[in-house]
Amino acid sequence: MKLLLRAAVAVGMVGMVVAGPAHALGQQGFVSFAPPPNTAGAVALADARVVVDAADFPGVQRAAGDLKADIAKVTGRKPGAFVDADAADTIIIGTLGKSALIDRLVAEGKFDASGLRGHWEAWRVQVVLKPQPGVERALVIAGSDLRGTVYGIYGLSEQIGVSPWNWWADVPPQHHAQLFVAANTAVADQPVVRYRGIFLNDEAPALSGWVKEHYGKYDHRFYGRLFELILRLRGNMLWPAMWGSAFFADDPLNGQTAADYGVVIGTSHHEPLMRAHREWADAKDVGPPPAGTQSAPRGGQAGLGSGPAPGLGGAWNYTSNAAALREFWSGGLKQSRGTERLITIGMRGDGDEAMSADNNIPLLERIVHDQRELIKQEPDAATAPQVWALYKEVQSYYEQGMRVPDDVTLLWSDDNWGNLRRLPTPEERKRKGGAGVYYHFDYVGGPRSYKWLNDTPIPKIWEQMNLAAQYGADKIWIVNVGDLKPMEVPIEFFLTQAWNPAAMSVDRMTQFTRDWATRDFGPEHAAEIAELVDRYTQYNGRRKPEQLAPDTYSLVNYREAETVAADYHALAVRAEALYAQLPQEQRAAFFELVLYPVKACATVNELYDAVARNRLYARQGRASTNTMAAEARRLFAQDAALTRQYNEELLGGKWNHMMDQTHLGYYAWFDPPLNVMPAVSEVQPAAGAEMAVAVEGDETGSVRTQTLSLPALDAFSAKPRRIELFNRGLKPFHFTAKSSAPWLVVSPASGQVQGDQALSVAVRWADAPAGLSDAKVLLRSDDGREFTVNVPISNPSKKGVSGFVETDGVISIEAEHYGRAVAVPGREWLRIPGHGRTLSGMSTMPGTASSPASSDMRLEYPMHLFNSGKVHVIVTLAPTQKFQPGPGLRFAVSIDEEKPQIVNMHADESPAYWDRSVSDGAVTFSTDHVIATPGAHTLKFWALDAGVVLQKLVVDAGGLKPSYLGPPESPFVPLSANAK
């Protein structure tokens, strides 16, 4: 039925004219901002009367009121009165079976409801001529149920220029004096994933501090704002905040407000039967504990065998306290009456911890049985869907044989770091209750909490949730969004993909941030804004800000640390420049959504780079050690100033506390109580001048050693090398630099140094001798110090050289730059832009394909090696988990015609391996190969199992140096370039 409905939509849209961009993300545009060529029958929305049957749902009437206000915001004119009265142009809104207006139009054959009746959350927008006496034309918005109608209403609001983030991110409406819908418009849609929602979690200190200041507590006023946002984003579900709060107990109006808006309420993965855990234990024991007192990140041994809890109800122990627990859970069902619910069943340990070490499966199954009996006793809950969250150790219960009734939805989880742990098998996909996914953009736990800003790249979300959809986990998609505010862009992407996963192709995913930027900031700067957002999240995906350290990136190899810091700094400069160009009314939204996260993350990355240089310079004895210490302090102060700007200065403090989350100074898995600047050193420079030298690739530096050596300069890469002169004293010195060969160029050749001076050493390759040779650079200071730097030169013949060329004993290749892709019938290679620490990822589709009988699914990379002998191939992959039962996902590597070496990427299932994989945001594997002869070779990567995402390949021929991201991509020579 869904496919038929969408086919009908496509036919209905033929001939429609849209002037200007389609504003609704993931929807077909039907609003124009100028009269269509054929104005006959076109509805002019600016002056239209809004009509709703008084008998319709309160949530529909409320959303219709929002539409009126939205039209006024966009046009500057107040729309017609909220009554059923005659008008030339009318917007008729209603729910099938609840609106006499809609039902009459259907009965008269004027409105097609075939795609609504009996459907879930379906809506249809259609222009109807002469819908009733005295009305010439009407835009009719009808839904199959409450939410279907609301989605139609808010879809129109979005298309006329009102962002779902109008209030929550201060995105101003785009002004349009005229709004038209053409006469032949007929658009309809409905969701694929049934329940699509967010989980407010780990919400202290930021969100909780903001809520306390504005509302006092998480009350119905706060949740009303949140429910509107969820519905505008076409979500339908919420797991409410639960750190020291209880949705139904904190404010009796919370449940009624959810019902009025039409939002489904559930409770988190460890809160059975609609009861917040805070209602069991004292709030002081459930809220964010002081640093050093929190439970272990993977849970302790509380639970079935735990001792007495200090709060309400005694021990959280079904063996000794079953009656109290049943009474507690029954109370949760009673106090949530009247609210549409998704009921969590099962039991974890006390306070979101693991159960006892010996899992008592019969007891756990009895707990579920008893909980379902309690649900049956509540008529209002008996028909509500039930979900069992297979989170952390609960998945092991399932793997040990625990089962729940067939109608219960299995909610599989990621590993808290965005990598799905498990998806349904073909047999599990037959279950009546279906399956879903609990995903994370925020997490408190090991190896380190991450709560500050958005650091989950959209391409990663797309790839993992696309797998979920292909494996039939499409009943529930819910994502932990932390404090909500820093996660605006990934939240909207997640819910947009959930609406129709199959429609979110990789091309649409790539276009998403540009469409988002166009809607919220207009088309002029959309490409630049999208680039800023895409790049900062990809950079954060390399390593989350909370996990950065001064030694994360190499200071001496591949210029890695300075490149990372410079790239981030460049983003911040671009964001600042764009901020200055935007109109005043857009600047608050741009600051929240783009400038603050870009600049704050750039500041943190630059801070760690400054600290790393300070420590290196201290070891080398540079006078500029103190300069870098001052730079680190400046950046630390800049971080604090950015926080104050967001919290206190932006819009008069509207979002005060939203950036209270600490993010500097981690020393364990939990967040520190205050931001702590990394330690820096200071030195006491010599009184006079004292020249010293450091060369690229060597971190020691020299004041006494008279001869040093640079890494070789290579004709294929043609990259210059670097010598650094530095002062160990307070007075400046003068230097000269002279090369031993006319084709070796040193720049600058002389100058005065107060602190540091970088010299570039380059070769005029057309004049350089062929083959291997050496040259020297002689350095002199005005106090008589002399240093000689040896400069090896590699200028091999280019005849017959093609493909990726070895330089510095290494070949480095980005996955998407293959020479040939070979696919077996029924499978294809897919490039996933941005799904990689340095560029992108290559995977295979469909994700459900079984392992091929033949090993013909491969990517081939042409390369040229200058020596024979042993090489190591290092493969970098996305940290995909073993999401199906079995031995793990496999790939293979070979060179030329050798037998492929098969690697199981899940052979190591140790906690240490997982810690490293999620911290690095990638996994690496090495295979050994023997090159018989120098020259042209072909590196082959074989995809044996679907779900493997290749990001990078490195061939180490003896020159690989330590770094975090690996060497930059090697030079590539086309096959025809050096044929002669």
Side-chain angles (χ1 to χ4, degrees):
M1 292 298 291
K2 294 176 184 175
L3 293 175
L4 292 175
L5 173 64
R6 291 195 173 90
V9 172
V11 172
M13 289 301 297
V14 172
M16 192 198 78
V17 176
V18 178
H23 284 286
L25 300 190
Q27 299 183 49
Q28 174 66 56
F30 57 84
V31 173
S32 61
F33 305 129
N38 180 9
T39 59
V43 178
L45 302 179
D47 297 311
R49 188 178 302 275
V50 178
V51 179
V52 182
D53 193 314
D56 213 325
F57 293 105
V60 169
Q61 299 185 46
R62 185 200 54 74
D66 288 343
L67 176 62
K68 291 174 55 183
D70 291 345
I71 293 174
K73 291 174 183 176
V74 170
T75 64
R77 291 178 285 176
K78 184 172 286 189
F82 192 63
V83 294
D84 184 359
D86 294 347
D89 291 89
T90 302
I91 302 172
I92 298 175
I93 297 172
T95 309
L96 196 66
K98 287 287 288 185
S99 170
L101 296 169
I102 300 299
D103 292 347
R104 177 174 56 78
L105 290 174
V106 173
E108 293 174 355
K110 296 181 178 180
F111 185 83
D112 181 8
S114 59
L116 300 180
R117 190 171 288 108
H119 287 259
W120 173 265
E121 298 181 346
W123 57 266
R124 183 177 176 86
V125 173
Q126 178 183 326
V127 172
V128 175
L129 301 180
K130 299 187 182 300
Q132 60 189 63
V135 179
E136 289 298 315
R137 52 198 167 266
L139 179 68
V140 180
I141 302 173
S144 61
D145 48 30
L146 163 59
R147 285 190 293 275
T149 308
V150 170
Y151 294 142
I153 295 168
Y154 283 144
L156 178 59
S157 283
E158 190 180 357
Q159 293 214 18
I160 66 174
V162 178
S163 170
W165 300 99
N166 173 236
W167 191 86
W168 278 99
D170 304 294
V171 178
Q174 298 188 26
H175 176 76
H176 301 287
Q178 300 183 91
L179 304 169
F180 293 94
V181 178
N184 61 344
T185 297
V187 183
D189 208 353
Q190 68 182 85
V192 172
V193 176
R194 193 171 184 86
Y195 295 102
R196 310 166 305 282
I198 62 174
F199 177 23
L200 297 181
N201 192 221
D202 311 323
E203 65 275 12
L207 180 60
S208 291
W210 179 84
V211 167
K212 184 176 181 180
E213 179 171 311
H214 289 272
Y215 301 102
K217 60 182 178 180
Y218 286 94
D219 67 6
H220 70 282
R221 296 170 298 166
F222 163 78
Y223 279 115
R225 285 283 192 189
L226 182 62
F227 294 153
E228 180 185 330
L229 173 66
I230 290 171
L231 293 169
R232 283 183 182 267
L233 294 173
R234 295 188 295 171
N236 63 3
M237 176 189 172
L238 174 71
W239 281 358
M242 46 77 64
W243 270 24
S245 59
F247 181 80
F248 292 102
D250 286 345
D251 184 348
L253 293 178
N254 281 347
Q256 184 59 53
T257 302
D260 289 345
Y261 275 77
V263 173
V264 181
I265 299 297
T267 44
S268 72
H269 53 279
H270 75 102
E271 297 178 306
L273 276 63
M274 309 304 297
R275 207 73 195 252
H277 191 77
R278 199 216 71 190
E279 298 176 78
W280 181 265
D282 288 340
K284 63 181 174 64
D285 295 311
V286 179
T293 64
Q294 301 185 53
S295 59
R298 289 187 177 80
Q301 295 304 317
L304 293 180
S306 63
L312 174 68
W316 185 262
N317 187 311
Y318 205 74
T319 301
S320 63
N321 203 20
L325 282 165
R326 285 195 297 269
E327 182 178 355
F328 176 69
W329 291 332
S330 179
L333 296 174
K334 291 174 182 176
Q335 71 177 0
S336 60
R337 287 172 180 169
T339 305
E340 188 175 356
R341 292 168 288 188
L342 186 59
I343 301 174
T344 297
I345 64 171
M347 187 176 180
R348 287 195 80 209
D350 191 8
D352 197 15
E353 294 183 351
M355 289 290 192
S356 55
D358 52 335
N359 298 328
N360 189 334
I361 300 303
L363 176 60
L364 290 165
E365 290 180 337
R366 180 162 69 86
I367 291 170
V368 171
H369 174 270
D370 292 353
Q371 288 173 341
R372 284 169 62 87
E373 289 300 311
L374 292 174
I375 294 170
K376 288 179 183 177
Q377 296 169 21
E378 276 285 318
D380 189 44
T383 58
Q386 299 169 23
V387 58
W388 183 33
L390 298 164
Y391 178 69
K392 285 192 175 180
E393 81 290 339
V394 181
Q395 181 178 323
S396 71
Y397 306 161
Y398 184 88
E399 292 166 348
Q400 292 172 38
M402 180 178 172
R403 294 295 182 266
V404 294
D406 193 60
D407 62 294
V408 175
T409 301
L410 300 182
L411 188 67
W412 301 100
S413 175
D414 68 353
D415 62 354
N416 301 299
W417 291 72
N419 310 297
L420 298 177
R421 295 177 65 197
R422 180 74 148 72
L423 289 170
T425 64
E427 190 62 30
E428 289 162 350
R429 289 172 223 164
K430 300 174 184 177
R431 296 182 71 261
K432 179 181 177 181
V437 169
Y438 170 36
Y439 202 72
H440 285 75
F441 296 158
D442 163 285
Y443 179 57
V444 169
R448 187 164 288 179
S449 301
Y450 62 97
K451 299 171 59 181
W452 180 37
L453 288 174
N454 172 25
D455 48 31
T456 307
I458 279 176
K460 176 172 184 171
I461 301 168
W462 177 85
E463 185 263 332
Q464 288 290 284
M465 298 311 296
N466 184 56
L467 276 178
Q470 292 187 58
Y471 277 80
D474 58 3
K475 183 72 171 288
I476 304 167
W477 283 15
I478 188 161
V479 58
N480 186 326
V481 302
D483 297 305
L484 179 75
K485 272 291 292 170
M487 307 298 178
E488 296 96 338
V489 176
I491 287 172
E492 182 157 11
F493 178 80
F494 184 89
L495 294 177
T496 301
Q497 186 177 8
W499 181 266
N500 184 0
M504 184 60 76
S505 65
V506 70
D507 291 334
R508 277 194 58 197
M509 177 273 291
T510 306
Q511 181 70 17
F512 177 83
T513 48
R514 184 162 185 168
D515 291 342
W516 164 83
T518 300
R519 182 199 65 194
D520 286 0
F521 297 100
E524 182 180 359
H525 302 294
E528 175 76 349
I529 292 171
E531 172 73 9
L532 291 169
V533 172
D534 289 342
R535 290 289 76 74
Y536 98 77
T537 49
Q538 183 179 31
Y539 293 166
N540 277 353
R542 292 170 172 171
R543 195 168 188 90
K544 298 183 185 298
E546 293 87 343
Q547 289 211 312
L548 290 172
D551 61 352
T552 296
Y553 298 108
S554 176
L555 282 172
V556 297
N557 295 323
Y558 309 118
R559 300 185 185 177
E560 183 179 61
E562 68 178 84
T563 300
V564 168
D567 286 349
Y568 238 132
H569 180 77
L571 275 190
V573 170
R574 289 167 60 185
E576 288 272 23
L578 184 52
Y579 178 80
Q581 297 177 48
L582 293 175
Q584 189 65 40
E585 63 270 17
Q586 289 186 340
R587 290 185 179 180
F590 184 80
F591 180 84
E592 295 167 45
L593 297 168
V594 184
L595 180 58
Y596 175 80
V598 168
K599 193 170 181 179
C601 292
T603 299
V604 168
N605 277 267
E606 290 180 69
L607 169 61
Y608 281 113
D609 182 62
V611 172
R613 292 186 185 283
N614 166 264
R615 296 178 183 180
L616 174 64
Y617 291 1
R619 294 193 299 272
Q620 293 178 339
R622 300 195 190 196
S624 55
T625 299
N626 299 345
T627 303
M628 295 313 300
E631 175 66 1
R633 293 189 183 98
R634 184 192 70 81
L635 290 163
F636 185 70
Q638 179 172 292
D639 175 82
L642 283 167
T643 299
R644 284 193 301 272
Q645 186 178 356
Y646 197 115
N647 282 347
E648 301 171 22
E649 300 169 17
L650 178 68
L651 299 173
K654 176 180 177 179
W655 299 114
N656 191 27
H657 299 296
M658 273 295 191
M659 286 302 136
D660 282 356
Q661 177 59 51
T662 54
H663 48 276
L664 295 168
Y666 276 77
Y667 61 89
W669 64 267
F670 48 83
D671 43 324
L674 296 171
N675 283 323
V676 181
M677 194 184 88
V680 294
S681 299
E682 291 191 347
V683 298
Q684 295 179 347
E690 190 174 311
M691 183 177 82
V693 179
V695 296
E696 183 173 341
D698 183 357
E699 65 177 29
T700 58
S702 176
V703 69
R704 296 182 180 88
T705 302
Q706 303 303 303
T707 302
L708 305 94
S709 293
L710 275 173
L713 280 83
D714 187 277
F716 281 98
S717 67
K719 293 178 181 178
R721 295 297 188 183
R722 181 186 293 170
I723 299 171
E724 290 191 12
L725 308 183
F726 60 88
N727 198 343
R728 288 182 167 176
L730 292 174
K731 293 183 178 181
F733 63 83
H734 187 272
F735 78 93
T736 59
K738 184 177 181 181
S739 69
S740 64
W743 40 263
L744 186 66
V745 181
V746 184
S747 177
S750 64
Q752 184 165 285
V753 178
Q754 178 69 55
D756 304 280
Q757 174 66 59
L759 308 183
S760 173
V761 182
V763 173
R764 289 197 297 266
W765 292 104
D767 301 326
L772 300 177
S773 58
D774 288 286
K776 299 181 187 300
V777 173
L778 179 64
L779 303 167
R780 290 191 178 96
S781 68
D782 53 7
D783 65 353
R785 291 177 182 269
E786 293 188 359
F787 292 84
T788 300
V789 180
N790 291 326
V791 185
I793 308 297
S794 175
N795 190 17
S797 170
K798 295 184 178 181
K799 183 179 179 180
V801 175
S802 64
F804 288 96
V805 182
E806 175 191 347
T807 58
D808 300 329
V810 167
I811 294 177
S812 179
I813 307 171
E814 296 290 349
E816 71 173 59
H817 294 151
Y818 55 86
R820 182 178 178 224
V822 179
V824 298
R827 298 180 74 188
E828 63 178 337
W829 283 100
L830 180 70
R831 171 180 169 264
I832 309 176
H835 191 21
R837 298 195 304 178
T838 48
L839 186 61
S840 60
M842 292 296 301
S843 190
T844 60
M845 291 293 159
T848 53
S850 58
S851 303
S854 61
S855 55
D856 287 336
M857 196 78 185
R858 68 185 185 274
L859 297 172
E860 297 183 354
Y861 300 88
M863 60 181 184
H864 190 98
L865 292 161
F866 289 106
N867 294 285
S868 60
K870 187 176 181 180
V871 299
H872 308 283
V873 175
I874 297 97
V875 176
T876 300
L877 308 171
T880 309
Q881 296 287 294
K882 187 175 70 173
F883 57 82
Q884 290 284 273
L889 302 181
R890 302 163 304 141
F891 66 92
V893 176
S894 65
I895 295 178
D896 298 331
E897 301 308 314
E898 70 175 341
K899 182 180 179 181
Q901 297 182 39
I902 297 175
V903 180
N904 180 350
M905 64 180 293
H906 299 115
D908 184 352
E909 297 187 272
S910 68
Y913 168 80
W914 178 83
D915 283 355
R916 186 171 61 254
S917 71
V918 297
S919 297
D920 293 348
V923 291
T924 58
F925 299 90
S926 177
T927 54
D928 294 334
H929 308 263
V930 175
I931 302 299
T933 58
H937 297 276
T938 302
L939 175 63
K940 300 176 183 179
F941 176 87
W942 309 76
L944 303 184
D945 291 313
V948 176
V949 182
L950 174 66
Q951 297 181 349
K952 190 170 186 175
L953 294 149
V954 172
V955 180
D956 177 14
L960 184 65
K961 299 176 177 64
S963 66
Y964 183 74
L965 297 173
E969 190 166 38
S970 299
F972 180 83
V973 178
L975 181 62
S976 59
N978 298 315
K980 296 181 181 180

